[in-house]
Amino acid sequence: MSVADAPTQAGSARADATATPLSAYVHLPWCVKKCPYCDFNSHRAPATLPETAYVDALVADWAIAAAGERRSIDSVFIGGGTPSLFSAAAIERILETLADSPGLSADCEITLEANPGTTERSRFADLAAVGVNRISLGLQSLDSGCLAALGRIHGPEEALAAIDDVRSAGIDQLNCDLMFGLPGQDLDSGLADIETLLERNPGHISYYQLTLEPGTPFYRRPPVRPDDDTIADLFEAASERLTAAGYTQYEVSAWGRDHRCRHNDNYWRFGDYLGVGAGAHGKQTQGDGRILRTARQRWPAGYMQSAGTPAAIVETRSLEADDARFEALLNGLRRRQGLRRDEYEARTGLDWPNLLDTLAVPIERGLIMADKTGVRASPHGWYFLDSILAELV
């Protein structure tokens, strides 16, 4: 047992809060319709959205979440649900609350998730005017048949129009979510999605495989999807096309050309984040070096009733050494650059040689590459991350 690990055996890791960047996550939980593949904490919107009451709850909750925090916020992610159902005035009030305490950095990245068909044409300009500087569009596909199979409420035309509207609003940082392995999709139609999206030239693409998550309608009644060989061929061909178009795969599902998502990169690098909203999670390094994880009440009605009181927080736990080590690996190995030693030691308070001992087997197998500056998956190990992490558990 190393000296650095010793205090954690009876408590938590002793990390350096001042060396750990801070982000904010704000959850807006309502959607027009719940998609059959979605396992996020999202709910079908009522006829009248309780926008004012919910933002009141967020403001009250933020007073607790940010209490005593002195670090400024480097990135904000407003996710859902479908945040674009909320007015620009509501988003402005949320951002003003965060800016008031503890404050936003001068170049803070502020992302808002939006779905085509849920944002009026002028809404993006209004959002830009209140400080949103990055939009993440949930396209998922540009094929009408695949969109129908996924239960989406928009078609290809609305998706492409939304991209144009973001650009017209002067928001330069744009991410487009695209899925593969969809019902009714083959190699040609999957690559057609890529080609059509590349014609619109977004600066960032999140490209990920459809998975059947427990508790979802798709899990209970699985749709017919392409076979594994077709999915693998599609991903390989799409990766080659994205690379040729100037995109870099810097994380398992993230492809950036003119920017990387600072907020998600903070998660992957084991940074801190304050989370407010129904079901939101947070990770915060304390002044004494303990790492606390929190979770808010999941159901919107209960959250609104309890926000601003301790009852809104349904879980608070201090990470033990093994948990901190695994979480840092779980996130860090998703990045092509892997996990940096200096960040690992500062953000977990744990000993680097002990981490290398933990990784001894995958390092010996050539699945993990390690040196004095960090660890990362090898070109071969990149395709077996899930298996590597499962063995580490």
Side-chain angles (χ1 to χ4, degrees):
M1 181 176 68
S2 72
V3 174
D5 279 350
T8 70
Q9 304 308 306
S12 312
R14 294 316 196 241
D16 183 359
T18 62
T20 306
L22 181 68
S23 296
Y25 177 75
V26 181
H27 191 71
L28 308 184
W30 290 287
C31 291
V32 173
K33 177 185 177 183
K34 179 79 171 180
C35 296
Y37 59 85
C38 178
D39 70 334
F40 295 157
N41 184 33
S42 59
H43 309 268
R44 186 163 188 158
T48 301
L49 197 67
E51 179 178 279
T52 300
Y54 191 77
V55 175
D56 286 345
L58 290 174
V59 171
D61 193 12
W62 185 256
I64 292 179
E69 185 57 68
R70 298 183 181 277
R71 293 169 292 177
S72 61
I73 296 169
D74 291 327
S75 68
V76 178
F77 198 99
I78 303 173
T82 306
S84 50
L85 293 175
F86 280 63
S87 69
I91 302 302
E92 180 178 31
R93 187 179 171 208
I94 293 169
L95 294 177
E96 286 177 342
T97 300
L98 274 56
D100 182 60
S101 176
L104 306 178
S105 63
D107 63 342
C108 186
E109 175 193 86
I110 301 174
T111 302
L112 182 133
E113 285 186 326
N115 284 327
T118 62
T119 305
E120 300 171 2
R121 190 176 185 86
S122 63
R123 183 71 61 83
F124 289 121
D126 294 337
L127 289 168
V130 302
V132 174
N133 55 29
R134 185 175 184 272
I135 292 291
S136 182
L137 280 177
L139 307 184
Q140 314 312 357
S141 177
L142 294 168
D143 179 275
S144 57
C146 288
L147 288 170
L150 290 174
R152 304 295 285 173
I153 65 171
H154 69 273
E157 297 79 11
E158 291 88 349
L160 296 175
I163 294 174
D164 294 340
D165 290 345
V166 173
R167 292 272 171 66
S168 297
I171 299 176
D172 295 328
Q173 295 192 74
L174 170 64
N175 170 67
C176 291
D177 284 349
L178 199 64
M179 301 172 71
F180 65 95
L182 307 180
Q185 189 177 65
D186 57 20
L187 182 61
D188 289 340
S189 63
L191 288 177
D193 270 358
I194 293 288
E195 295 296 341
T196 303
L197 183 56
L198 289 178
E199 290 175 3
R200 286 304 199 275
N201 206 28
H204 192 281
I205 296 173
S206 296
Y207 190 56
Y208 55 99
Q209 183 180 342
L210 171 66
T211 56
L212 306 185
E213 302 294 345
T216 64
F218 268 12
Y219 188 83
R220 294 190 293 270
R221 297 180 295 279
V224 178
R225 296 178 293 163
D227 58 59
D228 290 344
D229 287 342
T230 299
I231 291 175
D233 290 344
L234 173 56
F235 181 73
E236 182 177 358
S239 297
E240 292 176 356
R241 183 66 186 94
L242 288 169
T243 300
Y247 291 83
T248 299
Q249 186 189 25
Y250 66 97
E251 187 268 344
V252 171
S253 303
W255 296 78
R257 196 195 60 238
D258 62 17
H259 77 274
R260 298 185 178 188
C261 180
R262 186 189 305 174
H263 186 86
N264 287 343
D265 208 37
N266 189 44
Y267 291 153
W268 300 324
R269 294 166 73 174
F270 208 57
D272 283 352
Y273 51 97
L274 306 179
V276 292
H281 289 246
K283 169 187 173 284
Q284 189 175 18
T285 305
Q286 305 298 292
D288 61 3
R290 290 176 302 126
I291 302 171
L292 295 185
R293 284 207 172 274
T294 55
R296 260 58 182 176
Q297 190 162 158
R298 182 178 178 86
W299 294 102
Y303 172 77
M304 286 189 286
Q305 291 173 357
S306 61
T309 74
I313 305 172
V314 296
E315 180 183 2
T316 300
R317 63 186 179 92
S318 181
L319 291 188
E320 300 290 338
D322 288 344
D323 293 330
R325 183 180 301 110
F326 177 73
E327 287 189 17
L329 281 172
L330 176 69
N331 291 287
L333 289 178
R334 292 178 61 92
R335 304 173 72 241
R336 279 287 192 184
Q337 293 178 317
L339 182 64
R340 284 171 38 182
R341 175 177 181 168
D342 58 345
E343 291 183 347
Y344 173 80
E345 291 180 332
R347 298 177 188 183
T348 66
L350 301 178
D351 182 61
W352 184 252
N354 185 274
L355 176 72
L356 297 183
D357 289 343
T358 301
L359 293 171
V361 173
I363 290 174
E364 183 178 352
R365 292 177 181 172
L367 300 174
I368 297 292
M369 303 170 65
D371 57 32
K372 291 187 291 186
T373 64
V375 295
R376 64 187 185 278
S378 68
H380 179 63
W382 181 255
Y383 296 99
F384 299 96
L385 281 180
D386 287 346
S387 298
I388 295 170
L389 294 168
E391 288 186 10
L392 293 177
V393 173

